Amino acid sequence: NNKIDLVLSDIQMPNGGGIEMLEKIKAKFPGVPVVMFVTGYSIASEKEIYEKGAVAIFSKLFNKDAVLQAVMKAVGISV
């Protein structure tokens, strides 16, 4: 019953993959922006992650100000 404004997620999770989660989110909530975090050992390329619907991708170690700007842009707040 709650509106989802944004999803922030790591690409690698202990009980499933971020790619599968991204696909499910975009299938059920196509308008919800998804920001993904990846390591150098990601199972997917940045191109694939963007093609699946992510609006931004950040490699770890990331710049927190850049993440904040991407989140604000994704939810429609002017930066």
Side-chain angles (χ1 to χ4, degrees):
N1 293 334
N2 295 323
K3 181 180 179 282
I4 299 170
D5 295 316
L6 174 86
V7 175
L8 289 169
S9 179
D10 199 315
I11 195 78
Q12 294 187 25
M13 297 177 282
N15 295 322
I19 290 291
E20 293 84 12
M21 182 197 67
L22 175 59
E23 291 172 331
K24 288 178 182 179
I25 290 169
K26 297 313 282 185
K28 190 167 182 176
F29 308 102
V32 171
V34 179
V35 175
M36 301 296 295
F37 295 94
V38 299
T39 65
Y41 306 104
S42 176
I43 58 171
S45 69
E46 284 192 13
K47 179 181 177 189
E48 180 183 5
I49 297 167
Y50 278 121
E51 287 175 350
K52 300 283 183 184
V55 298
I57 302 168
F58 290 93
S59 298
K60 297 175 190 173
L61 302 167
F62 52 85
N63 179 296
K64 67 179 180 173
D65 292 329
V67 173
L68 180 59
Q69 287 182 350
V71 166
M72 291 173 64
K73 180 179 178 183
V75 297
I77 299 172
S78 297
V79 289

